[in-house]
Amino acid sequence: MKVLLLKDPKDRDSGPDPYIQELGLYGFETSLIPVLSFEFVSLQTFFEKLSHPDRYEGLIFTSPRAVEAAKLCLGENSKNEAWRNSLKEKWKTKSAYVVGKATASLVEEIGLAPQGEKCGNSEKLAGYLCARETPNSSPLLFPCGSLKREVLPTILKEKGISLESLTVYQTTQHPSLQESLKNYFSQQGIPASITFFSPSGVRFCLQHIQKFSGDLINQIKFAAIGPTTAEAMEAEGIPVSCTAENPTPQDLAAGIKKALQL
């Protein structure tokens, strides 16, 4: 039974993609199609902010890309030396809030201790964060993408938690997306299930899926990696057959298995 995941494959250097591995345990034939393309921006500004931990209460990372931006701006020799010699230890005394295990593991790679990784979305993280932060304190530094949702900033503002956002990457449609979807449907046929991994993935992929699947689109069980993505799917009229309880390979695989009644 074929399953299509609309996400980037995991970096080959770090082993097989865990979603393919987990779905394989259920006998699914899984394919990945990259949906998004990222361009990192404002890295010098980001480093300047990271150079002044005394100005912030902590950091918020809601995507792996935001941590990758941090790794990039710390990658130059002089900046990496400054990070290792003093900045890292100063930031370690502050909170580093994250959403999801993938983001948490990247935060650990730069030497910080992530908090809140079990929060499945920005809304839950905001609640977790508000229970731990003091209103009217120094701001939390929030490196984010150009398509970030306003849920977290809005909730924090309502609670008097100061936030300083900085766009560190821009999100666009992957240049090969349409051709990859066309090839998949022509060669593999209609999959039993398709999983969306982000609201922007819904935005960029849906019209192509509708075009290439035609009247057979009703045969597909659509899955969401989390509630935010599910909301975006429902807004576009896509029936959501399952939403992963947590954004993990295990929960997604279990959800798809149940949706397909296996």
Side-chain angles (χ1 to χ4, degrees), residues 12 38 64 113 126-127 130 134 158 164 170 172 222 236-237 252 261:
R12 291 178 183 175
F38 302 96
C130 287
T134 305
E158 290 172 352
E164 187 174 311
Q170 295 175 339
T172 57
F222 288 99
E236 294 292 341
L252 179 64
Q261 298 179 330

Side-chain angles (χ1 to χ4, degrees), residues 28-40:
F28 292 121
E29 182 182 338
T30 307
S31 300
L32 303 178
I33 292 181
V35 173
L36 307 175
S37 183
F38 302 96
E39 178 186 358
F40 293 98

Side-chain angles (χ1 to χ4, degrees), residues 123-176:
E123 186 173 5
K124 289 182 180 178
L125 180 65
Y128 177 91
L129 192 156
C130 287
R132 287 159 177 77
E133 293 295 322
T134 305
N136 304 313
S137 299
S138 299
L140 292 157
L141 180 58
F142 179 33
C144 54
S146 56
L147 299 181
K148 81 174 191 305
R149 297 170 71 243
E150 292 302 320
V151 172
L152 186 140
T154 299
I155 294 174
L156 296 191
K157 185 177 180 180
E158 290 172 352
K159 298 294 185 180
I161 308 294
S162 181
L163 188 70
E164 187 174 311
S165 300
L166 176 68
T167 299
V168 294
Y169 65 94
Q170 295 175 339
T171 307
T172 57
Q173 177 177 308
H174 195 284
S176 66

Side-chain angles (χ1 to χ4, degrees), residues 3 39 43 47 63 82 94-95 99 112 121 130 136 160 175 189 226 231 261:
V3 171
E39 178 186 358
L43 295 185
F47 179 73
S63 72
K94 301 172 182 291
S95 300
V99 171
L112 302 180
N121 55 47
C130 287
N136 304 313
E231 288 172 11
Q261 298 179 330

